Amino acid sequence: MSLRTPLIALALALFAAGAAQAQGLSRIDQRQAQQAQRISQGVASGQLTPRETQHLVAQQRHIARYERHARADGYLRAHERQHLRELQAHASRDIRWQKRDAQQRHWR
């Protein structure tokens, strides 16, 4: 088992947590930070396996990439904002499902 995936999740969570504390952050960014923290907590508690963590981190990167692309012209249009909300809702369901699916990380 590689430590790289949990470390990536932890770094993502720490970055997002620091960013969420900045004033004026949008609800989208705050939700991203909360989801990153939930992933990090799942890694720390052993609720997420390395493969699950890898999937959830990739999903968060996809959302962040879409947001950067959508904001490239300086603002978010209504349909872009709605699509981001849908992506985040799907990611939130995935995080909840993976943390509760009774698969545990096993230490050797």
Side-chain angles (χ1 to χ4, degrees):
M1 176 177 75
S2 171
L3 289 177
R4 184 174 179 217
T5 302
L7 290 177
I8 290 171
L10 182 59
L12 177 65
L14 292 174
F15 171 75
Q21 293 176 355
Q23 282 188 327
L25 224 57
S26 74
R27 295 171 97 191
I28 292 169
D29 294 332
Q30 288 174 352
R31 188 169 183 186
Q32 282 294 105
Q34 289 169 348
Q35 288 181 353
Q37 286 176 334
R38 289 171 57 206
I39 293 169
S40 179
Q41 187 275 330
V43 169
S45 70
Q47 291 175 304
L48 293 173
T49 66
R51 178 172 270 182
E52 290 170 340
T53 303
Q54 186 177 19
H55 169 75
L56 295 172
V57 169
Q59 193 173 33
Q60 293 298 308
R61 275 190 304 230
H62 171 74
I63 294 168
R65 204 172 319 126
Y66 179 80
E67 182 182 6
R68 274 194 313 274
H69 176 72
R71 289 182 188 262
D73 60 359
Y75 61 95
L76 280 175
R77 290 174 180 80
H79 72 277
E80 293 169 333
R81 188 175 300 111
Q82 179 61 32
H83 186 63
L84 273 170
R85 286 184 189 133
E86 290 168 2
L87 289 172
Q88 288 178 326
H90 183 77
S92 182
R93 284 189 301 270
D94 286 351
I95 294 167
R96 182 173 48 251
W97 174 261
Q98 294 300 339
K99 286 177 72 174
R100 296 180 181 187
D101 68 357
Q103 294 176 355
Q104 296 284 320
R105 179 181 64 215
H106 298 287
W107 294 100
R108 289 185 178 176

